[in-house]
């Protein structure tokens, strides 16, 4: 069974707009990660936020973590057509920090 | 990512056949993983290995087996393929200190 659930399942925005994607998880975690997947290709790691962190930035990406609500959000600012992809959250839990992936969000950025 | 390679990239096989998917990495990571992805779903962990002598089952190991031939190589076998094993299969590696995973390009498998 999958621990992460992303919301929305699909998002379509205009180039230049911001994209916000949400993720919920069920158990205590060590960290939460976001990955990106271009159609039919391997996942690429975007950003990791540890359980004792609340916000982290990397370029146009901003991720927040609320452990009390067991949720995280990924914000992509000033989106570009090249940001079109599927985005997955993955929660790392347990002594070995194995990842449990959500079902993913399909982001479409219209030029 | 060329650091993690998978062969073959595409494979069509018939029900009942045994097939092997191979993964090689040049990242020097001890940890390796096999996942499957079905349309509209996230990744499900099949098997993982934290070093050459360590093999662990994931969420959906039934019908699959693995072999860790060396630090750099981790193979996934389908002993007797069935149509519901049609999926996209990914290999990944990680460094225990960093906890992020690096994925191969995937193998698209079709079982007829």
């Amino acid at each position: 069974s999958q621990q992460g659930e992303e919301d929305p399942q699909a998002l379509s925005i205009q180039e230049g707009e911001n994209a916000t994607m949400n993720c919920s998880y069920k158990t205590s975690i060590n960290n939460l990660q976001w990955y990106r997947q271009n159609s039919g290709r391997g996942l690429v790691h975007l950003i990791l936020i540890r359980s004792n962190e609340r916000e982290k930035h990397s370029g146009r990406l901003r991720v927040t973590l609320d452990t009390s609500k067991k949720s995280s959000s990924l914000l992509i600012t000033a989106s570009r057509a090249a940001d079109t992809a599927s985005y997955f959250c993955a929660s790392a839990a347990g002594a070995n920090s194995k990842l449990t992936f959500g079902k993913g969000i399909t982001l479409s950025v219209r030029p | 990512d060329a650091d993690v390679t998978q062969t073959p990239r595409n494979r069509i096989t018939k029900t009942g056949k045994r097939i092997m998917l191979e993964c090689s990495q040049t990242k020097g990571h001890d940890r390796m993983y096999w996942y499957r992805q079905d349309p509209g779903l996230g990744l499900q962990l099949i098997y993982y290995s934290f070093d050459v002598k360590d093999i662990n089952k994931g969420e959906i190991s039934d019908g699959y087996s693995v072999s860790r031939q060396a630090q750099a190589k981790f193979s996934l076998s389908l002993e007797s393929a069935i149509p519901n094993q049609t999926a996209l299969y990914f290999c990944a590696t990680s460094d225990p200190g960093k906890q992020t995973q690096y994925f191969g390009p995937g193998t698209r498998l079709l079982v007829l």
Side-chain angles (χ1 to χ4, degrees):
Chain A
S1 64
Q2 290 166 320
Q3 176 169 220
E5 292 287 341
E6 292 100 338
D7 166 53
Q9 292 185 338
L11 181 61
S12 181
I13 59 174
Q14 199 73 34
E15 203 166 28
E17 294 180 338
N18 296 339
T20 299
M21 292 168 268
N22 303 301
C23 167
S24 61
Y25 57 92
K26 296 177 183 174
T27 64
S28 296
I29 60 172
N30 301 326
N31 64 71
L32 189 132
Q33 303 177 31
W34 286 89
Y35 288 79
R36 165 192 169 129
Q37 182 183 34
N38 287 87
S39 181
R41 304 184 70 172
L43 279 70
V44 175
H45 178 260
L46 293 176
I47 194 165
L48 178 153
I49 186 166
R50 301 189 190 285
S51 59
N52 62 353
E53 297 177 311
R54 293 296 167 259
E55 186 172 316
K56 201 163 183 181
H57 297 256
S58 177
R60 293 185 296 115
L61 305 180
R62 171 179 170 258
V63 65
T64 62
L65 180 65
D66 186 334
T67 53
S68 67
K69 295 181 179 178
K70 292 186 169 59
S71 67
S72 173
S73 67
L74 174 68
L75 169 68
I76 303 175
T77 60
S79 64
R80 305 166 181 169
D83 294 328
T84 294
S86 293
Y87 292 82
F88 293 86
C89 70
S91 53
N96 294 319
S97 289
K98 293 198 315 296
L99 293 184
T100 301
F101 287 84
K103 295 181 181 181
I105 298 169
T106 300
L107 173 65
S108 176
V109 181
R110 303 185 301 275
Chain B
D1 190 331
D3 295 326
V4 184
T5 57
Q6 293 183 234
T7 56
R9 294 293 313 279
N10 295 279
R11 179 74 184 269
I12 300 173
T13 191
K14 294 182 179 180
T15 296
K17 293 290 187 181
R18 182 180 189 276
I19 68 162
M20 180 182 288
L21 309 183
E22 298 187 352
C23 176
S24 294
Q25 54 116 346
T26 58
K27 299 190 77 68
H29 290 165
D30 286 327
R31 298 185 174 189
M32 298 187 74
Y33 310 80
W34 275 104
Y35 294 92
R36 70 175 274 175
Q37 183 180 33
D38 296 279
L41 297 180
L43 276 69
Q44 295 177 278
L45 183 62
I46 307 172
Y47 270 96
Y48 61 101
S49 170
F50 284 172
D51 65 43
V52 175
K53 298 178 181 178
D54 176 78
I55 301 289
N56 303 280
K57 292 183 178 180
E59 306 166 64
I60 54 163
S61 59
D62 288 349
Y64 301 95
S65 63
V66 291
S67 174
R68 185 80 184 267
Q69 301 96 320
Q71 186 203 39
K73 297 185 181 296
F74 193 34
S75 301
L76 175 72
S77 294
L78 284 68
E79 299 302 324
S80 179
I82 57 176
N84 79 359
Q85 290 177 314
T86 292
L88 189 54
Y89 289 84
F90 289 103
C91 173
T93 73
S94 71
D95 181 316
K98 299 273 176 74
Q99 299 189 357
T100 59
Q101 293 190 11
Y102 298 85
F103 284 80
T107 293
R108 192 171 297 278
L109 175 65
L110 173 61
V111 183
L112 300 175

